[in-house]
Amino acid sequence: MPGPAPKPALAVVREGNPSHRPVPESVTLPPVEFEEPDWSKELPESMAPKKPTEPEREDDESIEHFQQRMYRFEKKMTDYHLKRQAINGTRYVKKRASQEWQRIVPVLQNSVGLGAVDWSIVVDLCICVARLEWAEHELSREGLIVLGQRGPARNPHTTIASQYRTQIKTYIRELGLSPAARTGLPGREDGPDDDDPFD
């Protein structure tokens, strides 16, 4: 039966090595200054749809034909509202992701350091935070229970929020973004005598 997966060297240093096993050498990456992404490219916005016009019954039109036109209109209105919701959501997420980037990147650069390979992780974290907040915003507006085709049902945004919350927990643990996660991170000492391999 295989044992536990080996931990990276940095994790061993952070968590301690009571068994005094040899610590494997790992790759050390030079710190970089992150540039904020262009959120319009990361989160492209769809074109605003045209609002459908409600039909009026013509004098010589049968009730069946008019009902068919009303049914098509209602479907178009549903599609219109979903597209408007998507556009509003994208605008919110772009603004909120930018705010989260400006909040956490300076902290991470000073606490754990950031290498070039970490850029996409931080971008995804910011998007996850923004989308979670948007899902909670929609839950507050629509309620936990919505009317579905078969009657009252759980709002789908609860599932969306749960999935993003799970992903954010992973990033919090990996990047040390909570008090508990920070207890396993080594402190960074800044001084003239630091042995920096990239100086």
Side-chain angles (χ1 to χ4, degrees):
M1 183 175 179
K7 295 180 180 180
L10 183 56
V12 175
V13 172
R14 288 175 177 171
E15 299 169 13
N17 187 18
S19 62
H20 301 290
R21 293 180 179 175
V23 179
E25 298 218 356
S26 60
V27 176
T28 306
L29 298 175
V32 297
E33 292 291 330
F34 275 6
E35 290 188 8
E36 184 174 355
D38 182 350
W39 297 107
S40 296
K41 293 182 179 178
E42 296 290 331
L43 303 163
E45 184 178 312
S46 60
M47 295 185 63
K50 184 178 180 181
K51 187 174 182 178
T53 303
E54 184 174 357
E56 295 182 1
R57 186 180 177 185
E58 300 174 358
D59 294 337
D60 57 348
E61 184 178 23
S62 67
I63 186 65
E64 292 82 5
H65 188 267
F66 177 69
Q67 286 176 340
Q68 290 177 358
R69 290 204 297 133
M70 281 299 298
Y71 174 73
R72 290 193 294 269
F73 164 75
E74 290 170 357
K75 288 187 65 177
K76 290 179 180 179
M77 280 298 297
T78 299
D79 184 61
Y80 168 81
H81 286 304
L82 288 174
K83 288 181 178 178
R84 289 301 316 175
Q85 184 185 44
I87 292 171
N88 293 336
T90 300
R91 290 174 180 173
Y92 177 91
V93 169
K94 284 192 291 189
K95 180 179 178 180
R96 184 63 187 87
S98 178
Q99 293 172 347
E100 188 68 8
W101 177 278
Q102 295 170 28
R103 184 181 74 88
I104 66 170
V105 167
V107 175
L108 291 173
Q109 287 176 332
N110 290 328
S111 61
V112 297
L114 292 172
V117 296
D118 302 321
W119 188 84
S120 59
I121 295 175
V122 180
V123 170
D124 193 50
L125 168 61
C126 294
I127 292 174
C128 285
V129 169
R131 289 203 185 279
L132 171 60
E133 291 189 8
W134 173 252
E136 291 292 349
H137 173 272
E138 291 299 290
L139 279 172
S140 298
R141 190 175 64 86
E142 299 173 359
L144 293 174
I145 305 299
V146 295
L147 188 61
Q149 292 182 345
R150 299 182 180 180
R154 184 175 67 174
N155 193 320
H157 284 99
T158 58
T159 301
I160 296 171
S162 176
Q163 291 172 340
Y164 278 117
R165 191 169 275 113
T166 299
Q167 186 61 39
I168 290 171
K169 285 181 179 178
T170 301
Y171 291 141
I172 288 174
R173 183 176 62 252
E174 293 294 327
L175 297 173
L177 291 172
S178 72
R182 284 193 293 273
T183 59
L185 295 177
R188 293 187 64 189
E189 299 179 359
D190 296 326
D193 296 328
D194 285 346
D195 185 16
D196 188 347
F198 303 105
D199 283 344

